Amino acid sequence: MSTGQAVHMNQGEGEASYARNSTLQSGEQNRMRPVIEEAVKCLIKSTKSDGKIAIADLGCSSGPKALALVSCAVDAIFQHYRADREQVPPELSVFLNDLPDNDFNVVAKSLVAFHESDQRIGLVTGGIVPGSFYKRLFARSSLHLIFASSSVHWLSRAPEDLRTNGIPMYDGDDDLRQARGPLVLEAYARQFKNDLNLFLNLRAQELVSAGQMVISVPGRCASDGTCHKNLAWDAVACVLNDMATREVIDREKLNSFYIPIHAPSDVELREIIEVEGSFKINKMVVHEPKSGMDKSSITPKMIALGGRAVFEPMLVQHFGKSDQIGEEFVRTMEQHLSTGRSEFPPPGLFLLCVSLTKMV
């Protein structure tokens, strides 16, 4: 499954849309704010902007939070120049990127409102840049600040060797599934390493010298006992297996459905960045997915609707269009979470936020 062909969130603004079911992703954006504000300070201190600063959000998705990260950065930049009245504020360009099938209609409306904000008129221009971030998107040395929140864990494709070796997406035999777990994780880790190396190399070409980048991904701690699992989609696999058992979806098709997501360990992420060599790690923050949020509002129903908003387009593409798939996915996941068959977040899943500076 190629990410460029298959991955986009549920469109529109209806009950099943990503726009209305991205509370957890919005929580992660809020936790990135202090890291972004630090990156802005570092950028202004160490980079010659020549009166212009260009900012890009890679994997912006859609909905009311599509501009949350660039808005945070723009506010931090304006705050700095308001405090130092002797400096003239720079002209800002903000770019929002996602795959071509993303709901850019909603993004465009948000971008217009953002641009017309009183304090930003004449200082901020904006644009939409559709395309995979596993390809070059911007001119060489044209960007100063890049964000990627809950997006780089999406791979360019699921590991091909799982299909060629006949390893199903979910083994019904618990012992066999446990035995194959390390092989599956290793295959995903190899694909993630290849993709992240490419991502870092491309961004290093697009950033100016000493440009800043902040990435946030779901991940694992190497010191945790559950680190051998690909926790990012275990719960989804369990739900789909249940649906296949009840013949809601086809078992044979499930065996070949490989979700292109990898949750790296903190050690794994750090090692890839350091070996690739284009960036210096400023800091890496590890936190729980629900930290800073009202935990009473995170119900099984809310989590299930969020899962549908993310995965339904892939399910429809692979298993065929059916009104029953999305609704049954929500019902089954909600039941699993309510009865303890699945947990969210699964034990051992954390969120990793890393701040980077492009090497001179």
Side-chain angles (χ1 to χ4, degrees):
M1 178 182 291
S2 168
T3 300
Q5 295 174 342
V7 177
H8 64 87
M9 309 300 107
N10 267 348
Q11 300 182 350
E13 299 179 82
E15 182 181 359
S17 68
Y18 183 80
R20 291 181 58 178
N21 295 285
S22 53
T23 301
L24 293 169
Q25 292 87 342
S26 297
E28 175 58 5
Q29 289 179 330
N30 290 336
R31 287 186 290 269
M32 291 176 69
R33 292 183 70 87
V35 182
I36 290 172
E37 289 166 354
E38 287 182 26
V40 167
K41 291 179 183 178
C42 186
L43 176 72
I44 293 172
K45 180 180 178 180
S46 61
T47 305
K48 293 181 180 180
S49 63
D50 297 324
K52 300 177 181 179
I53 293 179
I55 305 167
D57 185 343
L58 307 185
C60 68
S61 197
S62 61
K65 293 296 183 180
L67 281 128
L69 299 182
V70 294
S71 180
C72 172
V74 168
D75 289 344
I77 292 169
F78 282 161
Q79 183 176 356
H80 170 83
Y81 284 95
R82 281 195 298 267
D84 188 348
R85 297 181 181 275
E86 294 184 1
Q87 295 190 57
V88 178
E91 293 183 3
L92 304 181
S93 299
V94 298
F95 300 101
L96 302 177
N97 155 263
D98 214 310
L99 293 168
D101 286 333
N102 184 53
D103 189 354
F104 283 115
N105 288 328
V106 175
V107 174
K109 293 176 183 177
S110 300
L111 191 58
V112 170
F114 176 83
H115 179 225
E116 292 178 348
S117 172
D118 290 342
Q119 68 168 344
R120 297 168 179 150
I121 291 177
L123 292 175
V124 177
T125 59
I128 292 171
V129 183
S132 169
F133 51 53
Y134 293 120
K135 297 179 180 179
R136 272 283 297 276
L137 295 167
F138 302 94
R140 187 177 298 274
S141 301
S142 63
L143 298 177
H144 298 82
L145 191 57
I146 294 176
F147 310 121
S149 173
S150 300
S151 57
V152 179
H153 66 294
W154 287 99
L155 307 175
S156 64
R157 63 180 66 250
E160 288 294 330
D161 46 345
L162 297 181
R163 183 177 291 105
T164 57
N165 291 328
I167 298 178
M169 187 265 202
Y170 189 92
D171 277 304
D173 185 306
D174 290 344
D175 292 336
L176 189 55
R177 186 170 66 254
Q178 293 294 328
R180 283 175 167 171
L183 296 176
V184 173
L185 182 58
E186 183 180 339
Y188 273 91
R190 284 196 301 271
Q191 185 66 51
F192 178 77
K193 180 179 179 180
N194 291 338
D195 284 341
L196 185 58
N197 272 318
L198 176 59
F199 177 87
L200 294 170
N201 180 270
L202 294 172
R203 305 296 77 83
Q205 295 179 52
E206 296 166 346
L207 278 166
V208 298
S209 179
Q212 304 291 304
M213 183 159 64
V214 180
I215 300 173
S216 178
V217 296
R220 300 163 287 125
C221 282
S223 59
D224 191 277
T226 55
C227 192
H228 63 284
K229 293 183 178 181
N230 194 342
L231 296 165
W233 52 261
D234 273 3
V236 175
C238 187
V239 167
L240 295 178
N241 178 66
D242 189 335
M243 292 171 62
T245 299
R246 292 182 285 110
E247 299 184 351
V248 177
I249 57 176
D250 182 75
R251 168 67 66 182
E252 186 173 344
K253 287 186 177 181
L254 176 61
N255 288 341
S256 62
F257 181 66
Y258 305 101
I259 302 176
I261 287 178
H262 179 66
S265 73
D266 51 346
V267 172
E268 180 183 358
L269 182 60
R270 181 179 294 276
E271 182 177 320
I272 293 171
I273 294 169
E274 290 177 345
V275 171
E276 194 277 335
S278 297
F279 293 88
K280 177 186 74 174
I281 298 176
N282 302 319
K283 67 186 302 184
M284 184 181 293
V285 182
V286 181
H287 49 250
E288 295 180 353
K290 295 181 182 179
S291 62
M293 301 179 68
D294 179 6
K295 294 181 176 59
S296 65
S297 67
I298 305 176
T299 63
K301 181 74 168 182
M302 185 267 278
I303 295 169
L305 286 170
R308 177 183 184 179
V310 171
F311 292 105
E312 185 171 26
M314 282 184 286
L315 298 178
V316 169
Q317 184 183 64
H318 189 79
F319 295 102
K321 186 172 179 57
S322 168
D323 294 336
Q324 189 180 14
I325 287 181
E327 294 175 4
E328 189 61 26
F329 180 88
V330 171
R331 191 194 71 79
T332 305
M333 178 167 277
E334 184 179 7
Q335 183 185 55
H336 279 215
L337 293 167
S338 298
T339 59
R341 291 181 63 184
S342 297
E343 295 182 64
F344 187 88
L349 182 68
F350 297 90
L351 292 167
L352 311 176
C353 181
V354 58
S355 172
L356 307 169
T357 297
K358 179 188 170 181
M359 302 287 274
V360 177

